[in-house]
Amino acid sequence: MPDLIDVLVVGAGPTGLLLANELGLAGIRTVVIDQLPVRTGQSKALSLQPRSAEILHSRGWLESIRTYEHATVPSGHFGGIRLDYSVFDTAFPFQIGVEQADVERFLEEHLATYDIPVLRGRQLTGLSQTAEKVIAIVDGHPDISAKYVVGADGAHSAVRKLTGFGFPGRDARIQLAVADLTFSQRPAGISDQWELPTTGGYLLPLRDGVHRFLFGGSGAPQTPVPIEEVQEAITAAYGPEAVVGEVRWASRFGDASRQADRYRIGRVLLAGDAAHIHLPAGGQGMNLGLQDAFNLGWKLAATVAGWAPPGLLDTYHHERHPVAAAVLANTRAQGVLTVPDPDIQALRAMVTDLLADPAANRRLAGEISGLDIQYRMPGGDAELLGRRMPDRTLADGSQLADHCRLGRALFVSDGWKERSYDGRIDPLTAAVDTAFLVRPDGYVCWAGDRAESLSAAERHWFGAPQHMRSTVHIGS
Ligand SMILES: Cc1cc2nc3c(=O)[nH]c(=O)nc-3n(C[C@H](O)[C@H](O)[C@H](O)COP(=O)(O)OP(=O)(O)OC[C@H]3O[C@@H](n4cnc5c(N)ncnc54)[C@H](O)[C@@H]3O)c2cc1C
């Protein structure tokens, strides 16, 4: 390993692995470490939300991940109340039922493309930074020096604690349990379809006759979940005819709700569960981490490569912190709605009625799917500004998403002659009403018809190019 690498990613969960792929795509010398000697193969998350599907598709990786798909989940949900994703302009108005372990497997194997090692059985135990670098102590030895370190090391993040990030919020008030089980006797009422959660428990079909059961556990946090406890909860929810055969994996979790007060201190950044924890309601945590990684990847790569304009790296916090704050709020609300108290169930009935209203559905479906995020950006009030660019067919018949594979920004117009921006922006032609500039993470950072304001946006997001050719506007 060189004396000084570009980026050390701590944690080979979905967040760290996607980030490392994004950095690899940009040619950044990256190393990933994880304390686990081998991947566990266990999955907390079971599905990709539409926006996560879009970002993985834009890099050409979704198709390989979908070979592991075990279900297509036609809708989202808010505390078990159905959300309709079909109102959005997306190729993926549904959840893709693929287990977290399979997402991780693909992302880890794909790192070989970039020669990025995942060093397993290596635990981060200390961290210090200077103005020039970060020194990581691994297994007690000052081992790896990097220009930047990203803590993608989960809810108990060592990076977060060692660097001194604040993590305000509250501890868990309720304890729940999850068990992946088989039935030795399965009543007819237990379906092989994905259904919405209820207040009594949540049973989801996985592969090979295994079901995931989420329920209100009766044991203490961090203690094993015995099969007797699982059986008791299954009996309460589905009657005595439902008999558990085998419990393949079981764990406890709670509704603690905390978020790092900032996502960057100097050369150290946080992403994924290291930056935010919440009740896993609505299927959001892994998806939030993947989208953190996608937001951070190109910005960190630009910073290491030396062309990032001032402040670019800090937009990671400014953009992603509010998104996770909203998820923390919606998961707290979902947690309340599933309490089997008659008064709360009256509230739940009202929320169910309200969500039948298209505007209300759009508001929550947009948040939970990740499709309706709008980042605050300078440059006017165009409707598209700060939003993800939905896929489009271009003049040559190709799709916009096909051009995102290299991880570069795209400039789409009806024929403007665009400058070469040192390979940072690829120009494309399409029959569009207005020209737009899309960042490498798929968000529109400029839309309009004036070359001067385009120049300002290019410099704002992509710095000053070394070798510029003139811009000629031959559009309208
Ligand atoms: C029961 C349950 C169900 C869930 N269901 C969903 C769902 O349906 N949809 C969804 O989107 N999310 C769901 N989640 C949340 C989701 O699993 C997490 O948000 C996701 O795992 C976060 O990914 P991550 O990469 O940020 O962190 P993690 O997956 O926690 O990965 C962190 C990695 O860092 C490593 N690490 C930790 N400390 C160190 C150290 N000191 N040195 C080196 N390595 C270290 C760990 O070994 C681990 O591999 C669920 C969570 C639970 C508990």
Side-chain angles (χ1 to χ4, degrees):
M1 193 182 311
D3 289 347
L4 181 67
I5 59 165
D6 289 333
V7 178
L8 171 65
V9 177
V10 183
T15 305
L17 291 171
L18 180 59
L19 176 66
N21 273 282
E22 283 293 286
L23 294 169
L25 187 61
I28 303 300
R29 291 171 311 159
T30 304
V31 171
V32 183
I33 60 167
D34 198 289
Q35 63 190 7
L36 295 176
V38 287
R39 281 198 304 270
T40 64
Q42 287 155 358
S43 294
K44 293 179 281 182
L46 298 178
S47 62
L48 292 169
Q49 294 283 358
R51 182 60 191 147
S52 303
E54 284 185 344
I55 63 177
L56 292 165
H57 173 61
S58 73
R59 294 291 185 258
W61 300 333
L62 183 69
E63 291 60 34
S64 301
I65 291 172
R66 286 192 85 172
T67 59
Y68 303 113
E69 183 173 349
H70 58 84
T72 299
V73 190
S75 60
H77 75 89
F78 179 76
I81 306 166
R82 186 174 174 277
L83 295 173
D84 180 8
Y85 289 166
S86 71
V87 296
F88 293 100
D89 178 3
T90 176
F92 308 102
F94 45 78
Q95 295 185 67
I96 294 173
V98 58
E99 295 187 23
Q100 179 168 336
D102 291 327
V103 175
E104 291 173 7
R105 183 193 340 195
F106 169 80
L107 291 173
E108 183 163 345
E109 288 173 0
H110 196 260
L111 285 177
T113 319
Y114 312 114
D115 277 336
I116 291 181
V118 178
L119 308 179
R120 290 199 161 273
R122 308 284 299 274
Q123 185 180 40
L124 181 89
T125 52
L127 201 67
S128 60
Q129 61 173 315
T130 67
E132 288 79 36
K133 64 181 178 182
V134 190
I135 299 160
I137 315 247
V138 180
D139 299 323
H141 306 289
D143 213 353
I144 304 179
S145 293
K147 292 177 188 163
Y148 288 88
V149 168
V150 181
D153 49 347
H156 305 287
S157 171
V159 173
R160 188 183 68 228
K161 293 172 191 163
L162 291 165
T163 313
F165 287 91
F167 200 44
R170 65 158 175 78
D171 290 333
R173 292 177 183 159
I174 53 168
Q175 286 296 326
L176 299 155
V178 54
D180 289 352
L181 54 85
T182 59
F183 287 102
S184 59
Q185 189 179 301
R186 179 177 147 181
I190 290 179
S191 162
D192 273 331
Q193 301 298 312
W194 276 50
E195 290 171 356
L196 296 176
T198 66
T199 51
Y202 186 12
L203 200 59
L204 285 171
L206 304 181
R207 276 179 296 215
D208 308 325
V210 177
H211 279 74
R212 156 98 20 124
F213 185 46
L214 290 147
F215 59 103
S218 50
Q222 316 287 346
T223 58
V225 185
I227 190 167
E228 294 76 17
E229 185 182 334
V230 180
Q231 179 63 63
E232 198 178 315
I234 281 280
T235 306
Y238 297 97
E241 312 79 51
V243 181
V244 175
E246 192 189 339
V247 175
R248 299 264 172 95
W249 170 69
S251 176
R252 298 188 192 282
F253 63 99
D255 68 339
S257 185
R258 293 184 176 277
Q259 186 178 17
D261 51 1
R262 44 193 168 149
Y263 284 10
R264 177 186 176 198
I265 296 180
R267 294 179 171 274
V268 181
L269 298 111
L270 297 178
D273 276 15
H276 35 71
I277 55 168
H278 53 82
L279 183 71
Q284 299 175 88
M286 175 179 76
N287 289 275
L288 201 52
L290 290 172
Q291 290 166 52
D292 283 350
F294 211 64
N295 185 289
L296 177 58
W298 72 276
K299 296 173 182 174
L300 187 53
T303 305
V304 171
W307 60 260
L312 180 69
L313 195 53
D314 287 323
T315 65
Y316 167 62
H317 166 92
H318 296 313
E319 293 179 350
R320 294 303 299 169
H321 192 276
V323 173
V327 171
L328 262 65
N330 84 44
T331 51
R332 291 201 305 272
Q334 290 186 71
V336 170
L337 284 180
T338 48
V339 174
D341 172 275
D343 290 1
I344 291 175
Q345 290 312 300
L347 172 66
R348 182 188 176 86
M350 293 176 77
V351 174
T352 306
D353 276 355
L354 288 171
L355 280 174
D357 181 277
N361 173 74
R362 195 180 173 92
R363 158 79 178 71
L364 281 182
E367 190 167 306
I368 290 181
S369 65
L371 291 173
D372 221 11
I373 291 167
Q374 186 169 25
Y375 297 134
R376 288 167 64 100
M377 291 183 187
D381 55 5
E383 170 58 22
L384 275 176
L385 192 69
R387 294 188 179 278
R388 66 183 246 289
M389 186 62 216
D391 205 2
R392 288 284 175 271
T393 303
L394 304 180
D396 64 1
S398 64
Q399 295 297 121
L400 187 61
D402 300 338
H403 297 270
C404 300
R405 301 209 165 164
L406 299 177
R408 295 204 284 254
L410 303 175
F411 177 71
V412 185
S413 72
D414 61 1
W416 292 29
K417 187 161 179 248
E418 212 2 59
R419 66 183 131 213
S420 155
Y421 220 79
D422 286 349
R424 294 172 216 163
I425 303 174
D426 290 340
L428 298 169
T429 305
V432 286
D433 296 336
T434 179
F436 53 87
L437 184 59
V438 188
R439 303 189 319 193
D441 59 346
Y443 286 82
V444 176
C445 60
W446 176 87
D449 54 12
R450 288 180 47 239
E452 304 74 44
S453 67
L454 170 61
S455 295
E458 286 171 333
R459 281 179 178 270
H460 179 85
W461 292 106
F462 307 111
Q466 300 290 315
H467 311 290
M468 301 224 305
R469 285 192 247 126
S470 61
T471 308
V472 184
H473 181 183
I474 56 170
S476 54

